C-alpha cells in the first residue's frame, strides 16, 4: 500500500520508489505531477516556452541582455546550405554543432581538434567533413529535435574546461544546473561526464550528479545512477573536495537568465569557460527532478520558502542570492 502511494507521489523518480510515503513527505520530495500542476503551469506562460525550447532564440535573447554565451559561429537552416559547411568551419580547429531544438544532449557533435582535413571528436574518434555534413543534414531533418520537427543546426565556439575541473570530468565539460523559482535560486548541482555516459553530462545517461551547497558552492552529496558515490568513476577524484569557483557570480547569472525570460520556474544550465568565466549554456522550462537525488534533499521546502516572500521577483538579484545562501545552505552528508 505504502509502495503504491510512494510511486504515485514521486512519478518519474525511480530512486525513491521503495521509500515509504512518510519518508518522501519528510524529505520534501517534489514529484512530477505536483511540479507540473503547482509550479510549472501557474508560473511558466505557454507562449514563453519557445524562448528556451529553441536554443537559437535563447542565444539571441541572451546576447540582447548582455549574458555571456559561447560564440555563435554560424547557422545552417536548409539542406541546400549543408554543402557550404566546409566554408563555415574550414578555418577552425575546434567547434561544436548542436540542434536548436534538441534535448538531453542528443545531436550535439563536438570537434575537439583537426589535423589537415581530418577532424577528431572529443573522444579521439576521427570524423570526416562528409560525416559532419551528414550529421548536420540529420539535424535539419529533425532526427534529434523535440517531436521530430524540422530544425536548424548551430555552430558554436568550444568551451574551454576550467583547469580546476580537469579531474572532475571525463571527456566532456562539467555543467552546473540551477533551479530558479520566481527569480530566486533554490537548488543546484554539477553534472560530471564519465566513460559510462559517453562524455555526456546527462544523469540519465550515467553521468555523476553532485549536489551543491547554495551558500558556498561546496559539494554536499554525489550520485551516479541514483546510488551514492564519493569518487569520480574514471579519474578517482574525491568528489567531496569539489568547490565551484565564481559561485555567487554563477547564482547571479542564473537569476539574470530567469529575469530575461519571464519564466517563473526554470532550469538554468551554466558552465565556467577558462577564458570567458561563467557562461549560459541553455535553459529548460521543464527541468527534471533528479537534482533532488544529487542533493539528497527535496525541493518542496525551498519552493514554499520562496512562496512566503512578498514579490521575490522584484527583489534585487543580490538580495535573492543572499536569501538562497541563508535559507538553502546544507551541511556535508558524506
Amino acid at each position: 500500500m505504502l509502495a503504491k502511494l510512494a510511486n504515485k507521489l514521486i512519478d518519474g523518480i525511480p530512486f525513491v520508489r521503495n521509500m515509504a510515503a512518510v519518508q518522501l513527505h519528510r524529505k520534501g520530495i517534489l514529484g512530477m505531477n505536483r511540479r507540473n500542476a503547482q509550479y510549472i503551469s501557474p508560473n511558466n506562460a505557454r507562449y514563453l516556452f519557445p524562448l528556451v525550447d529553441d536554443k537559437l532564440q535563447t542565444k539571441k535573447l541572451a546576447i540582447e541582455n548582455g549574458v555571456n554565451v559561447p560564440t555563435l559561429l554560424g547557422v545552417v537552416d536548409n539542406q541546400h546550405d549543408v554543402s557550404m559547411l566546409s566554408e563555415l568551419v574550414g578555418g577552425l580547429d575546434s567547434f561544436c554543432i548542436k540542434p536548436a531544438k534538441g534535448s538531453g544532449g542528443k545531436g550535439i557533435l563536438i570537434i575537439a581538434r583537426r589535423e589537415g582535413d581530418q577532424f577528431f571528436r572529443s573522444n579521439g574518434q576521427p570524423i570526416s567533413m562528409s560525416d559532419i555534413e551528414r550529421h548536420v543534414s540529420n539535424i535539419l531533418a529533425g532526427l534529434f529535435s523535440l517531436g521530430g520537427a524540422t530544425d536548424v543546426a548551430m555552430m558554436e565556439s568550444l568551451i574551454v574546461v576550467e583547469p580546476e575541473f580537469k579531474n572532475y570530468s571525463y571527456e566532456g565539460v562539467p555543467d552546473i544546473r540551477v533551479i530558479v523559482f520566481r527569480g530566486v535560486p533554490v537548488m543546484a548541482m554539477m553534472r560530471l561526464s564519465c566513460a559510462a555516459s559517453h562524455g555526456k553530462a546527462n544523469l540519465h545517461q550515467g553521468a555523476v550528479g553532485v549536489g551543491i551547497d547554495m551558500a558556498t558552492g561546496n559539494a554536499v552529496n554525489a550520485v551516479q545512477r541514483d546510488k551514492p558515490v564519493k569518487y569520480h568513476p574514471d579519474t578517482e577524484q574525491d568528489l567531496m573536495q569539489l568547490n565551484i569557483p565564481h559561485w555567487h557570480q554563477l547564482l547571479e547569472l542564473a537569476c539574470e537568465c530567469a529575469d530575461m525570460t519571464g519564466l517563473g520556474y526554470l532550469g538554468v544550465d551554466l558552465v565556467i569557460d577558462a577564458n570567458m568565466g561563467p557562461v549560459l549554456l541553455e535553459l529548460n522550462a521543464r527541468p527534471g527532478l533528479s537534482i533532488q537525488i544529487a542533493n539528497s534533499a527535496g525541493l518542496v521546502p525551498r519552493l514554499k520558502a520562496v512562496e512566503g516572500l512578498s514579490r521575490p521577483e522584484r527583489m534585487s538579484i543580490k538580495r535573492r542570492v543572499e536569501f538562497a545562501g541563508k535559507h538553502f545552505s546544507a551541511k556535508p552528508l558524506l
Side-chain angles (χ1 to χ4, degrees):
M1 180 66 184
L2 283 178
K4 289 182 179 177
L5 181 57
N7 286 337
K8 187 176 181 180
L9 284 170
I10 48 77
D11 264 342
I13 309 182
F15 90 111
V16 286
R17 281 188 179 136
N18 295 324
M19 294 176 66
V22 65
Q23 290 177 284
L24 297 170
H25 180 74
R26 191 175 298 154
K27 275 186 169 289
I29 298 296
L30 180 67
M32 188 177 293
N33 290 339
R34 186 176 181 183
R35 180 204 65 175
N36 294 343
Q38 194 168 333
Y39 295 103
I40 290 181
S41 182
N43 293 290
N44 290 356
R46 192 72 185 175
Y47 73 92
L48 294 175
F49 276 49
L51 292 177
V52 297
D53 287 346
D54 186 330
K55 295 179 180 62
L56 186 55
Q57 285 199 47
T58 303
K59 184 176 287 288
K60 291 178 178 177
L61 182 66
I63 293 171
E64 288 174 5
N65 285 272
V67 171
N68 270 349
V69 290
T71 303
L72 182 64
L73 303 173
V75 175
V76 177
D77 59 8
N78 66 82
Q79 296 285 356
H80 180 267
D81 289 347
V82 172
S83 60
M84 301 170 63
L85 190 64
S86 58
E87 297 178 21
L88 195 60
V89 300
L92 301 173
D93 292 329
S94 62
F95 53 91
C96 174
I97 297 176
K98 62 175 63 172
K101 298 175 183 174
S103 65
K106 297 176 182 175
I108 295 177
L109 175 63
I110 295 174
I111 302 300
R113 64 185 178 91
R114 68 182 293 179
E115 294 177 7
D117 294 332
Q118 183 67 67
F119 296 88
F120 294 87
R121 305 178 67 163
S122 56
N123 60 3
Q125 180 183 353
I127 183 171
S128 66
M129 178 53 75
S130 61
D131 288 333
I132 297 174
E133 290 177 347
R134 190 176 303 110
H135 184 80
V136 169
S137 180
N138 286 335
I139 288 176
L140 300 181
L143 188 62
F144 308 109
S145 65
L146 291 167
T150 55
D151 204 349
V152 302
M154 302 164 53
M155 269 63 71
E156 293 182 337
S157 61
L158 210 57
I159 296 293
V160 180
V161 178
E162 171 72 31
E164 290 186 42
F165 296 151
K166 183 180 178 182
N167 292 325
Y168 284 103
S169 192
Y170 177 81
E171 292 186 353
V173 178
D175 73 1
I176 301 136
R177 160 67 60 89
V178 182
I179 300 295
V180 182
F181 177 52
R182 295 185 62 185
V184 180
V186 295
M187 190 172 282
M189 69 173 169
M190 175 166 263
R191 298 181 293 193
L192 310 175
S193 59
C194 55
S197 68
H198 304 287
K200 305 285 186 181
N202 299 91
L203 265 57
H204 70 274
Q205 292 176 306
V208 174
V210 182
I212 303 297
D213 183 280
M214 296 298 286
T216 63
N218 292 332
V220 296
N221 189 49
V223 296
Q224 184 185 30
R225 298 194 185 283
D226 303 339
K227 295 180 179 177
V229 292
K230 188 172 182 181
Y231 302 97
H232 190 283
D234 304 305
T235 68
E236 299 183 351
Q237 174 69 41
D238 186 343
L239 299 171
M240 292 303 98
Q241 298 298 314
L242 175 64
N243 173 264
I244 300 179
H246 312 294
W247 180 240
H248 288 91
Q249 190 179 348
L250 285 162
L251 293 181
E252 290 175 1
L253 180 57
C255 294
E256 291 175 21
C257 292
D259 290 354
M260 77 181 186
T261 64
L263 291 162
Y265 189 88
L266 186 67
V268 181
D269 293 344
L270 307 170
V271 293
I272 301 178
D273 181 273
N275 301 314
M276 299 175 67
V279 169
L280 168 64
L281 207 55
E282 60 183 67
L283 302 172
N284 194 322
R286 316 167 194 80
L289 298 166
S290 57
I291 193 171
Q292 300 174 107
I293 308 172
N295 280 274
S296 190
L299 277 163
V300 172
R302 303 186 186 194
L303 298 174
K304 285 186 174 298
V306 174
E307 288 177 315
L309 296 172
S310 176
R311 298 182 177 181
E313 305 90 342
R314 296 193 178 186
M315 292 165 55
S316 69
I317 287 178
K318 182 180 178 182
R319 283 190 61 200
R320 287 182 243 164
V321 172
E322 288 175 349
F323 181 87
K326 181 177 180 180
H327 295 276
F328 306 144
S329 182
K331 295 181 179 179
L333 300 178
L334 290 178

